Amino acid sequence: MGLWGQELADKIINATEQRRVDVILMADVLYHKEHFDDLLTTIRNLLQPSTGQLIMVFEQRRKDLSTFVNELALLFDHCTCDVHTVTRDTEEGSKSINIYIVHFRGFTDQF
């Protein structure tokens, strides 16, 4: 079994004894591009149509994340994005990073 996909969605639905969930919260799950399609499949199979919401929080470490976020936006009626700049102390000194909080509402499951 991979990290994401239909099999995982089925296991979660069976474990929660529900058909779909109202909210999915994702934080720092977008690491490998090869998993993006399976993650999208998982979201599409878990989220309640019409009322479903997805909240995604991440630091953009990859340029191709915007492609994934744009694909997700096509599945929802509304999308808002907030960017928060935080300072992280490293061995090399302080470093400013952007943290993105994207809130998708009104899951349509239609491309």
Side-chain angles (χ1 to χ4, degrees):
M1 180 173 99
L3 295 173
W4 308 106
Q6 181 64 50
E7 186 177 344
L8 176 62
D10 291 342
K11 284 185 177 190
I12 292 170
I13 288 170
N14 288 336
T16 60
E17 298 179 3
Q18 296 182 15
R19 295 194 53 199
R20 302 279 183 125
V21 297
D22 295 318
V23 177
I24 294 175
L25 174 61
M26 299 185 338
D28 265 347
V29 298
L30 304 170
Y31 295 111
H32 302 288
K33 185 177 180 179
E34 62 268 17
H35 298 300
F36 287 3
D37 287 341
D38 287 339
L39 179 56
L40 189 60
T41 297
T42 304
I43 293 165
R44 293 180 80 179
N45 286 287
L46 284 179
L47 207 51
Q48 182 69 34
S50 182
T51 59
Q53 299 183 53
L54 172 65
I55 301 167
M56 183 169 58
V57 181
F58 62 92
E59 173 187 349
Q60 186 157 358
R61 296 179 182 98
R62 305 175 54 98
K63 292 181 180 182
D64 53 4
L65 284 181
S66 58
T67 301
F68 181 76
V69 172
N70 289 336
E71 285 183 35
L72 274 174
L74 295 174
L75 299 174
F76 294 84
D77 290 330
H78 304 283
C79 175
T80 57
C81 180
D82 293 313
V83 181
H84 299 271
T85 303
V86 297
T87 302
R88 178 183 291 163
D89 291 326
T90 67
E91 292 179 8
E92 294 83 31
S94 295
K95 176 183 176 185
S96 292
I97 58 171
N98 290 327
I99 303 295
Y100 295 82
I101 302 172
V102 186
H103 187 182
F104 302 93
R105 295 179 314 281
F107 179 60
T108 63
D109 193 20
Q110 296 177 10
F111 279 113

